């Protein structure tokens, strides 16, 4: 990195169930870069607000919480990711569909989005950052060196989510997930501030029927053409 320049960022945006989470983790591991799971920040905030009895309408309280919540991302010895809020493990609580819906509700609030900006930008550290979310390439890191927008059909996304939840032993029906994803897409795409949409300079990748490994390989190939010197193993 040239002194005085910021570490490079690769953004991976897209709707729930597009495979962003898994793909972003694998790309970050392959590059040996840091990872920002920005959805987790919205979820932790939703969880913390709910636990503190703060309603969605109390935007002042929500901003204060967004700016001050003591959140930490760690990995266990066997590589499992854990999210801590004030030292307490909230990983399971924040992964529920209920918490995801609450996160989507507070994410429409401009003040909340503003309140989480600095926290998200703090993740930009050498050697580089893979940022996973909805507005990473459009708002948080508009200067990203590579922007990817992942999509997949609603049917396939509901199936993937169903499988994920079952594996975690959490309860859900395919029908309710389909409805929930459709409602969440609508809310995420239509909100006035930072709506879910590809940046004009994003590469759109439709992962319907595409194995994760193929999506990862495609992104690494694109990264290789842009930061050839920093992709390990190439
Ligand atoms: O990716 P996820 O399902 O964990 O995100 C939860 C919610 O947070 C999602 O419905 C929309 C919101 N979100 C957002 O508005 N902007 C982001 N950068 C990330 C998530």
């Amino acid at each position: 990195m040239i002194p005085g320049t910021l570490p490079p960022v690769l953004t991976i945006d897209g709707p729930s169930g597009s495979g962003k989470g898994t793909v972003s983790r694998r790309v970050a591991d392959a590059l040996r870069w840091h990872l920002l799971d920005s959805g987790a920040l919205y979820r932790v905030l939703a969880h913390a607000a709910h636990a503190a009895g703060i309603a969605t309408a109390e935007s002042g309280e929500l901003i204060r919480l967004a700016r001050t919540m003591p959140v930490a991302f760690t990995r266990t010895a066997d590589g499992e990711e854990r999210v801590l809020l004030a030292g307490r493990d909230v990983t399971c609580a924040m992964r529920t569909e209920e918490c995801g819906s609450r996160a989507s509700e507070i994410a429409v609030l401009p003040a909340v989005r503003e309140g989480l900006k600095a926290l998200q930008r703090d993740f930009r550290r050498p050697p580089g950052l893979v940022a996973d979310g909805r507005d990473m390439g459009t708002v948080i890191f508009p200067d990203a060196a590579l922007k990817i927008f992942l999509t997949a059909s609603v049917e396939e996304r509901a199936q993937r989510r169903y499988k994920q939840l079952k594996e975690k032993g959490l309860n859900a029906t395919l029908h309710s997930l389909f409805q929930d994803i459709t409602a969440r897409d609508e809310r995420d795409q239509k909100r006035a501030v930072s709506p879910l949409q590809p940046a004009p300079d994003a590469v759109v990748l439709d992962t319907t029927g595409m194995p994760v490994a193929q999506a990862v390989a495609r992104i690494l190939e694109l990264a290789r053409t842009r930061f050839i010197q920093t992709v390990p193993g190439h």
Side-chain angles (χ1 to χ4, degrees):
M1 201 175 81
I2 301 158
T5 60
L6 289 166
V9 181
L10 190 166
T11 58
I12 303 182
D13 288 306
S16 328
S18 57
K20 274 179 308 139
T22 314
V23 168
S24 299
R25 167 44 72 205
R26 293 207 195 165
V27 169
D29 283 350
L31 294 172
R32 296 183 201 131
W33 283 11
H34 299 281
L35 175 71
L36 163 63
D37 172 2
S38 61
L41 295 179
Y42 285 89
R43 285 171 182 266
V44 173
L45 179 61
H47 173 76
H50 183 65
I54 300 170
T56 309
E58 296 174 79
S59 62
E61 283 298 294
L62 281 175
I63 305 169
R64 192 190 51 75
L65 201 56
R67 294 217 165 111
T68 57
M69 61 177 186
V71 58
F73 293 84
T74 61
R75 268 174 133 175
T76 59
D78 48 8
E80 237 185 85
E81 278 161 27
R82 313 305 302 171
V83 184
L84 307 179
L85 178 64
R88 274 197 42 230
D89 192 334
V90 293
T91 321
C92 287
M94 54 164 268
R95 288 289 164 218
T96 62
E97 287 307 292
E98 199 192 347
C99 195
S101 291
R102 273 201 203 104
S104 169
E105 279 165 28
I106 62 163
V108 302
L109 304 171
V112 163
R113 305 200 71 84
E114 196 57 40
L116 287 176
K117 253 186 195 169
L119 186 55
Q120 295 176 87
R121 289 182 176 150
D122 268 359
F123 280 77
R124 186 175 196 165
R125 292 185 198 145
L129 175 70
V130 174
D132 155 359
R134 304 290 194 291
D135 60 344
M136 298 295 100
T138 48
V139 177
I140 306 297
F141 303 109
D143 63 332
L146 175 59
K147 300 177 185 180
I148 305 292
F149 192 86
L150 283 192
T151 60
S153 68
V154 179
E155 290 79 7
E156 175 141 344
R157 289 189 283 132
Q159 285 279 3
R160 287 177 187 168
R161 195 89 188 109
Y162 183 72
K163 209 171 141 232
Q164 258 178 7
L165 292 172
K166 284 279 151 197
E167 279 166 9
K168 286 181 187 153
L170 294 168
N171 242 342
T173 66
L174 201 50
H175 180 67
S176 68
L177 286 173
F178 185 91
Q179 287 185 321
D180 189 54
I181 288 180
T182 308
R184 214 189 298 178
D185 277 1
E186 167 113 1
R187 197 158 44 216
D188 291 346
Q189 283 160 2
K190 292 199 172 148
R191 66 175 174 235
V193 181
S194 307
L196 172 66
Q197 59 182 28
D201 51 345
V203 177
V204 178
L205 200 58
D206 187 337
T207 66
T208 309
M210 185 189 279
V212 168
Q214 199 179 325
V216 172
R218 174 80 188 114
I219 295 170
L220 288 176
E221 181 57 29
L222 287 165
R224 197 171 63 86
T225 59
R226 303 199 191 191
F227 342 93
I228 196 150
Q229 70 284 26
T230 55
V231 178
H234 282 272

